[in-house]
Amino acid sequence: MSDTVAAKNGVTTQYLARVADDLEQNLKEQERLGTEIAVLQSQLAELEADRAVLVSLQEALGASSTPETPAPAAPEPESAPAATVVDKKDTAAPAKKARAKKPAAVPVQRARKTKTAAAKPAEPRQPSLVTLARDFLTSQTEPRSAAEIAEALAQEHPDRGIKKTVVRTTLEGLVAKNHAQRSKQGSSVFYTAPDPAEPSADSGASSE
């Protein structure tokens, strides 16, 4: 009877030792996989940030090559119909001259309205987002992210409806034209004005 009890105790002790070893191995494996997952997640975040920057740069380069549409010319005063009416009155019969006088005043009034509209001064044109972003970077002494620049411009110009994605694209366009510099700290991207000691490649070109 005692031999049977001793055998059972020995088997139980072996199982307990094996289970303890398995638990320890399981814990080590979890720690190893957790470390690998953290490294992969960090690499994935960097790749996503790089992809966002490359896509924005691609869009900025594509948008900068689009030609600007010229503004439509102002309409000239309609003075020709008045002369035509006068010619018809001179060649018409005396009985019809009195009737032709009233419609002759219509083209004259229309010409006066056109001249009055053309005499009004044009409204001042608002600066473009490119100009706003470039001036903001010039006034800063430290690198700024696209989110910080978009927030500052939105506060200064609340009626423009400035968005972060549009500001990021504009900044990448400035970088492509050497009108701004881009630096990376970890997964974050910051922008600064170009070094005044190093003039940009197209500094001789006319400003936008």
Side-chain angles (χ1 to χ4, degrees):
M1 184 69 179
S2 59
D3 294 339
T4 304
V5 174
K8 289 183 178 179
N9 291 337
V11 172
T12 302
T13 301
Q14 292 178 1
Y15 275 115
L16 289 175
R18 183 176 300 177
V19 170
D21 291 339
D22 292 343
L23 287 175
E24 185 178 358
Q25 292 296 330
N26 184 281
L27 181 60
K28 290 181 179 179
E29 188 69 13
Q30 289 185 21
E31 293 178 353
R32 184 182 66 82
L33 293 176
T35 303
E36 292 182 359
I37 290 174
V39 173
L40 291 175
Q41 287 179 344
S42 177
Q43 293 177 355
L44 178 60
E46 292 181 0
L47 289 175
E48 290 177 348
D50 292 341
R51 174 179 172 80
V53 172
L54 292 173
V55 170
S56 301
L57 180 59
Q58 184 182 43
E59 294 177 354
L61 293 176
S64 62
S65 61
T66 304
E68 296 183 357
T69 304
E76 297 182 357
E78 299 180 3
S79 57
T84 304
V85 174
V86 173
D87 294 340
K88 290 183 178 180
K89 290 197 304 179
D90 293 339
T91 57
K96 295 182 179 180
K97 286 185 178 181
R99 298 179 182 177
K101 288 181 181 180
K102 291 182 179 180
V106 177
V108 175
Q109 293 177 357
R110 187 181 303 174
R112 289 178 179 175
K113 291 181 180 179
T114 305
K115 292 181 179 180
T116 303
K120 292 182 179 180
E123 296 181 358
R125 185 178 180 182
Q126 293 184 350
S128 64
L129 184 58
V130 175
T131 302
L132 294 178
R134 184 169 52 194
D135 293 344
F136 179 83
L137 290 177
T138 304
S139 65
Q140 300 300 306
T141 58
E142 297 180 357
R144 300 294 180 183
S145 65
E148 292 174 340
I149 298 173
E151 182 179 359
L153 294 180
Q155 292 179 356
E156 294 178 1
H157 307 276
D159 56 331
R160 297 287 294 267
I162 298 175
K163 297 182 179 180
K164 176 182 176 181
T165 54
V166 180
V167 172
R168 185 185 298 275
T169 302
T170 302
L171 293 171
E172 291 299 331
L174 291 175
V175 172
K177 295 180 180 180
N178 294 329
H179 291 170
Q181 294 180 349
R182 175 163 57 88
S183 60
K184 189 174 182 182
Q185 300 179 7
S187 59
S188 301
V189 179
F190 295 90
Y191 300 89
T192 56
D195 189 357
E198 299 178 1
S200 60
D202 52 352
S203 58
S206 59
S207 60
E208 298 180 2

